Amino acid sequence: MGLIKFLFFTILILWIIRLLLRLVFPMVIKSIFGKMQQQSSGYAGQQQQQQQRYSTKPEGSLSIDYVPPQPKQGNADKLGDFVDYEEIK
């Protein structure tokens, strides 16, 4: 009798969870996509502002706003010498 009760309640709980997910999941997805759409529309507005700001320069001119730092090239000396070897069987 205990096994039948366990199976009944397990099936009932899983059925309720499935029903709730069918109702709640679409609302969550709509909320997420709505936020993404707002962010993308805000991003498009920022791009238009940047284009207006940079459009005052004559066409063909070049300006660099950021130069990434150069990696250090002195690591080869610290690693030591490379020794080629062959495995003897």
Side-chain angles (χ1 to χ4, degrees):
M1 189 68 179
L3 181 63
I4 294 173
K5 283 183 180 180
F6 174 75
L7 289 175
F8 175 74
F9 285 118
T10 303
I11 292 171
L12 182 67
I13 290 171
L14 289 174
W15 184 75
I16 291 171
I17 290 173
R18 188 175 128 207
L19 183 66
L20 287 175
L21 282 177
R22 282 187 177 181
L23 297 173
V24 173
F25 189 68
M27 290 188 292
V28 171
I29 295 297
K30 285 180 185 179
S31 155
I32 290 172
F33 280 123
K35 288 179 184 177
M36 289 174 61
Q37 190 174 18
Q38 287 176 354
Q39 288 176 353
S40 67
S41 66
Y43 180 71
Q46 289 175 355
Q47 283 182 335
Q48 290 174 354
Q49 288 175 356
Q50 288 178 354
Q51 285 178 348
Q52 289 174 355
R53 185 174 11 157
Y54 292 124
S55 65
T56 59
K57 295 179 183 178
E59 186 176 335
S61 67
L62 177 68
S63 65
I64 299 173
D65 294 331
Y66 172 74
V67 178
Q70 297 292 328
K72 297 179 182 179
Q73 296 180 359
N75 291 339
D77 296 334
K78 295 178 184 176
L79 295 177
D81 295 331
F82 177 74
V83 179
D84 193 19
Y85 70 95
E86 293 182 14
E87 187 174 331
I88 301 174
K89 294 183 181 179

